[in-house]
Amino acid sequence: MEELFAYSLLYSIGYEKYDEYREALDNLFCCTPEDEILLDLEGRDYKDAMLHLYQLMNELSFDIIKFGGQLMSELKTVYEESDIIGFSEKMYDLWKLLPDKINNEEPFYTLNYAGDCLSYGDEIRCCELYKCALNYYEDNSNQYKEV
C-alpha cells in the first residue's frame, strides 16, 4: 500500500505515473485478492483512485520506511528530469500534502526547506540537501517504523 500512497502524492503535484501505479496495484491485488481496499481501487478510475489513496494515507497506519524509500526513489527520477527551481516548488507542495504524523521527520522535512537556499542564490547547497533526502533510505540502516 505504501507504494500506492507514493503514487498518489506524485499525482497530487502533477506527476502522473499511471502505468507504474497500475502495475503496483495489480501485483498487490494478485498477492492479496481478499484485500477489500485493493479490490475497491481496482474498480476506480485513476483520478478517483489517487484521491482515495490520499485520503487512506491520512487514515491508515503504514510502514514509513517502505513508503519513504518508494517516494524518494520515484522523486530521484523527477529530480533528474527537472530544473532545480521547478523541482523545489513541487517539493514544497508535496511536503504540505504529507500526513502530519510524518511531515516533520527526515527526510520529508527537507522537502520543506531545501528550496530556501535558492532565494539567496545557493543552488549548490539546495542540490546537496535534496540529494541527501533522496538518498536517505540508501544511506541509513533504518528500522521498521509504522505510523
Side-chain angles (χ1 to χ4, degrees), residues 14-65:
Y15 297 109
E16 293 189 20
K17 301 271 188 168
Y18 177 79
D19 292 336
E20 295 89 338
Y21 161 75
R22 286 303 317 174
E23 183 178 341
L25 176 60
D26 291 345
N27 287 339
L28 286 170
F29 186 67
C30 285
C31 293
T32 53
E34 69 283 353
D35 188 312
E36 292 183 23
I37 294 173
L38 296 175
L39 177 62
D40 178 53
L41 290 170
E42 285 281 352
R44 292 176 183 256
D45 67 37
Y46 182 61
K47 180 180 178 180
D48 188 40
M50 295 297 100
L51 296 173
H52 186 64
L53 279 164
Y54 180 72
Q55 177 186 357
L56 291 173
M57 180 179 60
N58 286 289
E59 295 172 357
L60 301 176
S61 294
F62 59 90
D63 179 342
I64 189 173
I65 304 302

Side-chain angles (χ1 to χ4, degrees), residues 94-116:
L94 187 146
W95 176 79
K96 292 188 295 186
L97 294 171
L98 289 167
D100 291 339
K101 56 191 170 190
I102 65 170
N103 69 354
N104 288 321
E105 293 187 31
E106 290 301 342
F108 309 110
Y109 192 62
T110 300
L111 303 178
N112 174 32
Y113 66 81
D116 293 350

Side-chain angles (χ1 to χ4, degrees), residues 65 67-80 87 91 106-108 110-111 114 126-142:
I65 304 302
F67 166 76
Q70 180 65 38
L71 181 62
M72 294 306 159
S73 175
E74 292 293 335
L75 288 177
K76 280 183 190 179
T77 304
V78 172
Y79 177 80
E80 292 167 1
F87 183 79
M91 292 309 97
E106 290 301 342
F108 309 110
T110 300
L111 303 178
C126 179
C127 291
E128 288 172 352
L129 288 169
Y130 281 129
K131 287 178 184 177
C132 183
L134 297 174
N135 293 316
Y136 182 85
Y137 293 97
E138 295 173 11
D139 298 340
N140 291 300
S141 58
N142 295 295

